[in-house]
Amino acid sequence: MSQLMNRAYNFGAGPAMLPASVMEQAQAEFLNWNHLGMSVMEVGHRTAPFMDLMAELTTLFREVLVIPDHYQVLFLGGSARTQFAQIPLNFLSEHEKAGYLTTGMWSSMAYEEASRLKKAYCVTDAQPTQYKSIPDPKTWIIEPDTAYLYYTPNETVNGIRCPIIPDMKGVPLIADMTSCLLTEPLNIENYGMIFAGAQKNIANAGMTVAIVRDDLIARIHDDKIPTMLDYRTYVTHQSMYATPPTFNCYLAYLMLKWIVSEGGLSVMSSRLNEKSEALYQVIDDSDFYYSDIEKPFRSKINVCFKLKKNALESEFLIGAEARGLMALKGHRAVGGLRASLYNAMPLEGVRALIEYMHYFAKVNA
Amino acid sequence: MSQLMNRAYNFGAGPAMLPASVMEQAQAEFLNWNHLGMSVMEVGHRTAPFMDLMAELTTLFREVLVIPDHYQVLFLGGSARTQFAQIPLNFLSEHEKAGYLTTGMWSSMAYEEASRLKKAYCVTDAQPTQYKSIPDPKTWIIEPDTAYLYYTPNETVNGIRCPIIPDMKGVPLIADMTSCLLTEPLNIENYGMIFAGAQKNIANAGMTVAIVRDDLIARIHDDKIPTMLDYRTYVTHQSMYATPPTFNCYLAYLMLKWIVSEGGLSVMSSRLNEKSEALYQVIDDSDFYYSDIEKPFRSKINVCFKLKKNALESEFLIGAEARGLMALKGHRAVGGLRASLYNAMPLEGVRALIEYMHYFAKVNA
């Protein structure tokens, strides 16, 4: 019996599910990659086969996301959270400040880090709505001497998304797309920089991808930035100044090949719409479940919902796990339930969840 | 036929070979770890099974290296090179400086980074010997207001090691053990801090382990350290502030279990001695090969050597690869040949190399 027949549906916010076919390929060549007699993770990063892999990875990333030539694609080791400091350290000079749209937990933490290290202010703050909606753009304030504007299009903890691309009046826009990069086609030209941790839609945990416009790189002048936090280091050395997280790079390459073979980002996007719409439909049609995020701001990727009979939450989670529907517990900061619907979550997983939700509502009505 | 029968011997300096039994286990449970119906890299880092793994990893690390309670064991995402900045940023206040023993390429780069960001000086500099030996400790200078002393016991590029633990007159000693941690028993109490990138003896590339004495952590006071570069973040959150590189943590756990099952660090150390002595013996007994590192300073881990008939180097490397003896080319900065003998390199690999060296010398005499 195939190991995959018992595969669980992992609805956790990340590290997340990866596509079965990608995992099967990685397993098959785990001991012998590229006929080299060793695993890809045992191969030196400056050998020809690995350098080729990095070049192909970069090319494929550019192709899948249609990234113009005046943007750099950088592969950084470590967690995306390092960017919360790295962005202000690279892009803010002494007389400048950065504007933050604080629309959930992650953007608020990015704002706190930037404020501590440099000068930053809130363009808008969704905290007064308890992150259930985002204030009207007419109320947003962009101050003079703003070097960049920062936002998080999808907030995994709060289950809220920014439904528009903010119009930033020519100020470079930086987006934390950790949870949404590769889930839909983008017009890269709308952004000065995009970054994303790998562990949702790109690869396994331990890598961050950054897409940075050349004119932002050219602005960096501070000579006290730690070398490993200086984007110029990654540009000059094509992400190979230090040893990159080689297995994550390999897995990212397999993931991109998988996206292409499935039909590209427009297919990822329509699947995501189908999955999230089906789930919100059940929630909205029900007297048992509810979502308190205002409709235009509901995340497609992290569907947060609650039980009206709050006391049944643990029972709901236990029953779900027994059916292989894993990690549906909401983030500890907000409670409730959360179904994360990254690219690798198949529609069958969502159908199984919906079936369970109907069943659980019926027996507990 | 087992895939392992065609396994190559990778003599590269890192990412390096991993033990066959570790790789086989990782492959076997690649799709279904811990009966969870998913890969360990698909499991959320805040789930109970992964938290258990991290706790066991930490415990095992402490046991294998006999780490006293007043040291913290921290698992950091990304490359060890980040430490070149992180150490001065954490441990140097404005009126202090750091002393560096520059005994090869890596310690020299660490010194350059510290000098650029804070105040640092050379305790001793092996550059005038072209990194063939290390100046007599009697000539070393430790200046007043030195917050820490930094050295690299084994230099992978130059193939040189520091044969003694420097006597630092009570100043905390920080050691970059990227290439030598877990190759021999240590008295941890000699050090204020030890760090090591994972990709030699610990796991795959993308993680750095730091062992830091509590009094050094207590010294950190700068409030402008990026959160992800502040050691206190990792202490407070048990290395789980941001998502750790989960697969690397898992593999490190398997590697430590393997070390224990093989007999521990004293066995690793005696095997390393056996492998390196056999190789240097062939070099020293030969009219064909030579090492220009002075004997007391020769690295056991990265055996650098040259052909007297320098022009045959490419032919040597091509013939080696045809026999599955991979990545014997020296670092581009120093040329020549290099055989790296990390824990996972079996004695049979060294024997195969020696056999080839005899053969190549004979046909090209």
Side-chain angles (χ1 to χ4, degrees):
Chain A
M1 194 176 74
S2 159
Q3 279 179 280
L4 289 179
M5 286 189 65
N6 289 319
R7 213 162 144 77
Y9 294 117
N10 177 12
F11 289 94
M17 279 189 83
L18 297 162
S21 63
V22 165
M23 295 304 284
E24 286 179 321
Q25 181 179 346
Q27 184 186 43
E29 59 196 29
F30 194 76
L31 300 180
N32 189 4
W33 176 67
N34 223 347
H35 312 292
L36 289 173
M38 42 186 149
S39 173
V40 63
M41 67 177 68
E42 298 175 292
V43 173
H45 57 298
R46 300 203 194 278
T47 60
F50 191 80
M51 298 279 276
D52 288 349
L53 176 72
M54 284 301 279
E56 285 172 45
L57 169 62
T58 308
T59 302
L60 203 50
F61 224 98
R62 287 189 171 280
E63 283 172 10
V64 168
L65 275 161
V66 195
I67 300 173
D69 285 348
H70 60 294
Y71 285 78
Q72 303 285 333
V73 177
L74 310 175
F75 299 95
L76 296 78
S79 157
R81 212 183 285 201
T82 304
Q83 300 306 303
F84 294 1
Q86 193 162 346
I87 288 165
L89 289 181
N90 277 263
F91 298 133
L92 282 184
S93 65
E94 226 166 278
H95 68 281
E96 291 172 321
K97 50 196 167 185
Y100 280 71
L101 283 73
T102 51
T103 59
M105 200 186 86
W106 294 109
S107 50
S108 298
M109 291 201 298
Y111 168 64
E112 277 168 33
E113 182 81 347
S115 306
R116 192 172 63 82
L117 299 173
K118 298 268 186 163
K119 271 177 271 175
Y121 67 93
C122 279
V123 171
T124 190
D125 183 12
Q127 200 278 327
T129 78
Q130 292 182 289
Y131 304 116
K132 309 292 183 221
S133 69
I134 296 174
D136 189 324
K138 286 183 197 128
T139 67
W140 299 2
I141 293 159
I142 301 176
E143 298 183 8
D145 297 322
T146 297
Y148 66 82
L149 289 151
Y150 179 106
Y151 88 128
T152 304
N154 184 72
E155 287 274 1
T156 57
V157 170
N158 310 87
I160 182 170
R161 76 183 181 110
C162 188
I164 56 161
I165 297 164
D167 174 8
M168 291 313 191
K169 325 281 184 213
V171 178
L173 180 61
I174 296 181
D176 174 358
M177 293 205 185
T178 292
S179 52
C180 58
L181 192 68
L182 298 179
T183 64
E184 61 183 354
L186 292 175
N187 182 358
I188 299 290
E189 303 253 19
N190 286 323
Y191 306 91
M193 173 177 171
I194 293 166
F195 71 93
Q199 70 274 18
K200 322 284 190 183
N201 288 299
I202 303 172
N204 58 318
M207 181 168 73
T208 300
V209 181
I211 301 163
V212 194
R213 209 169 60 205
D214 283 342
D215 63 290
L216 267 80
I217 300 287
R219 274 186 199 202
I220 308 170
H221 286 299
D222 187 345
D223 61 359
K224 293 284 188 191
I225 305 171
T227 305
M228 292 293 291
L229 295 194
D230 189 325
Y231 295 116
R232 293 172 297 186
T233 305
Y234 297 83
V235 174
T236 306
H237 298 272
Q238 278 124 56
S239 306
M240 298 274 275
Y241 175 72
T243 312
T246 55
F247 190 76
N248 307 64
C249 293
Y250 158 77
L251 209 61
Y253 176 72
L254 296 190
M255 289 285 281
L256 288 165
K257 295 278 268 188
W258 175 79
I259 288 174
V260 170
S261 74
E262 296 288 305
L265 295 183
S266 57
V267 171
M268 296 298 128
S269 173
S270 57
R271 284 185 193 167
L272 178 60
N273 286 336
E274 191 180 1
K275 290 183 288 184
S276 61
E277 282 165 16
L279 206 43
Y280 280 120
Q281 191 70 54
V282 173
I283 294 163
D284 289 341
D285 287 350
S286 144
D287 292 326
F288 196 80
Y289 305 102
Y290 71 102
S291 157
D292 55 9
I293 313 293
E294 287 186 27
K295 281 190 178 173
F297 305 102
R298 285 173 171 184
S299 170
K300 298 178 185 184
I301 295 166
N302 309 97
V303 176
C304 290
F305 61 104
K306 290 178 176 163
L307 301 182
K308 288 187 183 163
K309 295 179 181 170
N310 190 36
L312 293 175
E313 208 171 272
S314 298
E315 201 183 317
F316 179 90
L317 290 167
I318 291 165
E321 293 213 356
R323 291 168 174 237
L325 306 169
M326 313 301 283
L328 281 159
K329 196 175 166 67
H331 189 276
R332 63 201 182 286
V334 298
L337 302 164
R338 174 176 54 178
S340 297
L341 308 177
Y342 301 117
N343 286 343
M345 172 58 67
L347 186 57
E348 297 74 53
V350 177
R351 286 197 188 120
L353 172 58
I354 287 173
E355 191 186 315
Y356 172 65
M357 286 170 73
H358 283 311
Y359 164 81
F360 190 83
K362 197 171 157 188
V363 299
N364 291 287
Chain B
M1 195 175 76
S2 160
Q3 281 179 277
L4 289 179
M5 288 189 66
N6 289 319
R7 213 162 141 79
Y9 294 118
N10 178 13
F11 289 95
M17 280 187 82
L18 297 162
S21 64
V22 165
M23 294 304 284
E24 284 178 323
Q25 182 179 345
Q27 185 187 42
E29 61 197 27
F30 194 75
L31 299 181
N32 189 3
W33 175 67
N34 225 345
H35 312 292
L36 289 173
M38 43 186 149
S39 173
V40 63
M41 67 177 72
E42 297 174 293
V43 173
H45 58 297
R46 301 204 193 277
T47 60
F50 191 82
M51 299 278 275
D52 287 350
L53 176 71
M54 283 301 279
E56 286 173 43
L57 169 62
T58 308
T59 302
L60 203 50
F61 224 99
R62 288 190 170 279
E63 283 174 9
V64 167
L65 275 160
V66 196
I67 299 173
D69 285 345
H70 61 295
Y71 286 78
Q72 302 286 334
V73 178
L74 310 175
F75 299 94
L76 295 78
S79 157
R81 212 182 285 200
T82 304
Q83 300 306 302
F84 293 1
Q86 195 163 345
I87 288 165
L89 289 182
N90 277 265
F91 299 132
L92 282 184
S93 65
E94 227 166 278
H95 67 280
E96 290 172 321
K97 50 198 167 184
Y100 280 72
L101 285 71
T102 50
T103 59
M105 198 185 88
W106 294 110
S107 50
S108 298
M109 290 201 298
Y111 169 63
E112 276 167 35
E113 182 82 347
S115 305
R116 191 171 65 80
L117 299 173
K118 297 268 185 164
K119 271 177 271 176
Y121 66 93
C122 278
V123 171
T124 190
D125 183 13
Q127 199 277 327
T129 78
Q130 294 181 288
Y131 305 116
K132 309 292 183 221
S133 71
I134 296 173
D136 189 324
K138 286 182 196 129
T139 67
W140 298 1
I141 293 159
I142 301 176
E143 298 182 8
D145 298 321
T146 297
Y148 67 82
L149 289 149
Y150 180 105
Y151 88 128
T152 305
N154 183 72
E155 287 274 2
T156 56
V157 169
N158 310 89
I160 183 170
R161 75 184 183 110
C162 188
I164 57 161
I165 297 165
D167 174 9
M168 293 312 193
K169 326 281 184 208
V171 178
L173 180 61
I174 297 182
D176 174 359
M177 293 204 184
T178 293
S179 52
C180 58
L181 192 69
L182 300 179
T183 63
E184 61 183 353
L186 293 174
N187 181 356
I188 299 289
E189 303 253 18
N190 287 321
Y191 305 92
M193 171 176 171
I194 293 167
F195 72 93
Q199 71 274 20
K200 324 283 192 186
N201 288 298
I202 301 171
N204 58 317
M207 183 169 73
T208 300
V209 181
I211 303 162
V212 194
R213 210 168 60 206
D214 283 342
D215 63 293
L216 267 79
I217 299 287
R219 275 187 199 200
I220 307 170
H221 286 299
D222 188 344
D223 61 359
K224 293 284 189 189
I225 304 171
T227 305
M228 291 295 291
L229 296 194
D230 189 324
Y231 295 117
R232 291 172 297 186
T233 305
Y234 297 84
V235 173
T236 306
H237 298 271
Q238 279 124 56
S239 305
M240 297 274 275
Y241 174 70
T243 313
T246 54
F247 190 77
N248 307 64
C249 293
Y250 158 77
L251 209 60
Y253 175 72
L254 297 190
M255 288 286 281
L256 288 164
K257 295 280 268 188
W258 175 78
I259 289 173
V260 171
S261 73
E262 295 288 305
L265 294 182
S266 57
V267 170
M268 296 297 129
S269 173
S270 58
R271 284 185 193 168
L272 179 60
N273 287 335
E274 192 180 359
K275 290 183 287 186
S276 61
E277 283 165 14
L279 206 43
Y280 281 119
Q281 191 70 55
V282 173
I283 293 163
D284 289 340
D285 287 351
S286 146
D287 292 326
F288 195 83
Y289 304 101
Y290 72 102
S291 156
D292 55 7
I293 313 292
E294 287 187 26
K295 281 188 179 174
F297 305 102
R298 285 175 169 179
S299 169
K300 297 179 185 183
I301 294 165
N302 309 95
V303 176
C304 290
F305 61 104
K306 290 178 176 164
L307 302 183
K308 287 187 183 164
K309 295 178 182 170
N310 190 38
L312 292 174
E313 210 171 271
S314 297
E315 201 184 316
F316 179 90
L317 290 167
I318 291 165
E321 292 213 355
R323 289 167 175 238
L325 306 169
M326 313 302 281
L328 282 158
K329 196 175 168 64
H331 188 276
R332 61 201 184 286
V334 299
L337 302 163
R338 172 175 57 178
S340 297
L341 309 177
Y342 301 117
N343 285 344
M345 173 58 67
L347 187 56
E348 297 74 50
V350 177
R351 286 197 186 119
L353 172 59
I354 288 172
E355 193 186 312
Y356 173 65
M357 287 170 73
H358 284 311
Y359 164 81
F360 190 83
K362 199 171 157 190
V363 297
N364 291 288

